[in-house]
Amino acid sequence: MKLTRMLAPLFIGVLTLAGCSSADNTTSSSEAASTTVDGNNITVVASTQVWADVAKEVSPDIDATAIINGDETDPHSFEPTAADMAKAKAADIIVVGGGGYDAWLYTAVDQDKIIHALPLTTHDHDHGHDHGEEGHDHDHDHGEEGHDHDHDHGDKDHDHDHGAAESESAEAHEHEHGEEGHDHDHAHGEEGHHHDHDAEANEHIWYDIDAVDAVAEQIAQRVAELDPKATINAGAVADKLAPIHETLKDLPAITVAQTEPIADYIIEQTPMKEATPSGYRHATLNESEPSAADVAAFLKALDDGSIDLLIYNPQTATETTKKLREEAEKHNIPVVEISETPAKDQNFFTFYADEVDNLAAAAKALNK
């Protein structure tokens, strides 16, 4: 891993030798106009606006669109139209999160076109059913608290091994998250924070800063292959995410629970402790309904002061999650909303920053 990351500067150099006019690794406007494949702009279709915005940040001259644009749809249960799939099949590049989250897209297109953060596993996203052994391919062993990331949330930062994202990128993902900030000529040292996100990883991978950076590197490589004269600046994504990382690592060590495991990767980047009752957490990670006993345990934790803050996903709200929110509010426990996708026409980077700012404000208010 270290050897591949040491190759990052070489990779970026190759991308920017042609027409580099400034230190930001971009080409001139005349060269940008030549970002074409057979005379047309490179087309990118992403499963959600998250990945479309990442692609646009890497290469602003490409034509990047998202199949899911907005926050009124639950992506777990989304079904694309024939027109959606026709657009995807005609695209030059497909960008997805993987891990089963957007399998409705990546199982139906040319695999060679796909850029992904997690392995391209498949499973049935059917809320409200217990998938059992043959259903959901997402059965995690998350330890006593249901969280299988063996990590220390102290001052040391973390090294994410994302499998697909890092192995299929140009291996040019050198992050250094020292105390002086988030330097995106990165290098996760041996003392860093290692998460091995395999096929069973939490699928809300766009909240993992390292994984998003790795996807950006993959996009940069693929665009360069399609058009060596293209405007490419993979570092622009790292620059957008750096302030978010700084905010997260400075959050207080409070105890949080989630109505759905939407914010695992956010929590991993903070000193906060994830304390969702294990039975409830296991059920929601498997996208099945928590049992009455699981819900009762969650309500008890809200009642007895075990939880400082509740993270609520409004995009996958159910009667159960609404009940948990009401219980938290009854006990004056702050509730912070974290959604699956940006609102319609909202940029992902603004969306992510806003959510983290809201989380920081609530957490720091508790810590006064």
Side-chain angles (χ1 to χ4, degrees):
M1 184 65 71
K2 284 187 175 179
L3 176 60
T4 56
R5 286 175 177 152
M6 288 172 65
L7 297 176
L10 296 176
F11 169 66
I12 298 300
V14 169
L15 292 182
T16 57
L17 279 174
C20 185
S21 60
S22 66
D24 65 357
N25 294 340
T26 58
T27 60
S28 67
S29 59
S30 61
E31 288 168 328
S34 69
T35 306
T36 60
V37 176
D38 298 330
N40 299 309
N41 287 344
I42 294 173
T43 57
V44 176
V45 169
S47 56
T48 70
Q49 194 61 42
V50 169
W51 303 114
D53 287 337
V54 171
K56 289 176 186 176
E57 200 67 36
V58 171
S59 185
D61 296 317
I62 63 176
D63 180 9
T65 58
I67 291 180
I68 298 178
N69 179 10
D71 59 356
E72 297 181 358
T73 299
D74 180 356
H76 300 87
S77 55
F78 180 77
E79 294 185 7
T81 66
D84 290 333
M85 297 313 301
K87 180 192 292 186
K89 289 177 180 178
D92 300 305
I93 300 171
I94 306 291
V95 187
V96 299
Y101 187 81
D102 33 25
W104 49 265
L105 174 56
Y106 61 71
T107 56
V109 297
D110 182 351
Q111 300 292 292
D112 291 338
K113 294 181 178 182
I114 301 172
I115 290 172
H116 51 104
L118 292 171
L120 301 180
T121 57
T122 59
H123 60 254
D124 181 9
H125 276 121
D126 185 4
H127 288 284
H129 293 79
D130 187 353
H131 297 287
E133 295 180 358
E134 297 182 4
H136 196 302
D137 190 27
H138 230 60
D139 188 6
H140 316 269
D141 181 3
H142 289 285
E144 290 181 4
E145 292 299 332
H147 197 59
D148 192 27
H149 298 291
D150 183 10
H151 50 270
D152 178 1
H153 290 302
D155 292 334
K156 294 181 181 179
D157 299 300
H158 50 276
D159 179 8
H160 296 265
D161 181 1
H162 291 288
E166 291 186 352
S167 65
E168 295 186 14
S169 70
E171 310 299 337
H173 193 57
E174 299 261 8
H175 287 280
E176 177 147 329
H177 301 302
E179 292 182 8
E180 294 300 319
H182 192 69
D183 179 358
H184 287 277
D185 276 332
H186 322 284
H188 299 290
E190 290 181 0
E191 294 182 7
H193 188 112
H194 182 81
H195 299 290
D196 186 6
H197 295 304
D198 59 15
E200 294 184 345
N202 186 307
E203 58 197 13
H204 303 99
I205 192 65
W206 59 92
Y207 283 128
D208 186 309
I209 286 175
D210 291 342
V212 176
D213 280 350
V215 167
E217 298 288 0
Q218 290 187 62
I219 294 169
Q221 181 183 25
R222 192 71 58 84
V223 171
E225 290 170 354
L226 292 172
D227 183 2
K229 295 181 180 180
T231 300
I232 299 170
N233 183 11
V237 170
D239 291 343
K240 290 278 190 180
L241 294 173
I244 296 173
H245 173 76
E246 291 300 306
T247 300
L248 288 171
K249 74 175 189 176
D250 290 335
L251 294 186
I254 63 172
T255 300
V256 302
Q258 307 176 74
T259 59
E260 193 226 359
I262 182 75
D264 279 1
Y265 296 113
I266 293 176
I267 295 168
E268 286 178 2
Q269 300 171 77
T270 77
M272 297 190 298
K273 178 185 177 184
E274 213 294 336
T276 305
S278 60
Y280 182 97
R281 179 180 170 82
H282 184 77
T284 54
L285 277 167
N286 281 284
E287 296 179 26
S288 59
E289 283 296 315
S291 68
D294 294 334
V295 176
F298 205 145
L299 292 170
K300 181 178 183 297
L302 291 168
D303 181 61
D304 66 17
S306 301
I307 296 169
D308 297 320
L309 181 147
L310 181 68
I311 292 174
Y312 179 82
N313 183 352
Q315 212 163 332
T316 59
T318 65
E319 290 306 311
T320 296
T321 63
K322 291 175 183 177
K323 182 178 181 180
L324 293 170
R325 177 173 188 157
E326 291 170 0
E327 186 71 13
E329 291 171 340
K330 184 174 77 174
H331 292 285
N332 296 315
I333 297 171
V335 177
V336 176
E337 291 189 356
I338 294 182
S339 301
E340 302 274 337
T341 52
K344 187 173 178 61
D345 299 324
Q346 182 183 24
N347 182 273
F348 163 63
F349 299 99
T350 301
F351 162 76
Y352 194 177
D354 287 348
E355 292 197 318
V356 167
D357 286 346
N358 291 339
L359 179 61
K364 290 178 179 179
L366 282 170
N367 207 42
K368 288 182 178 179

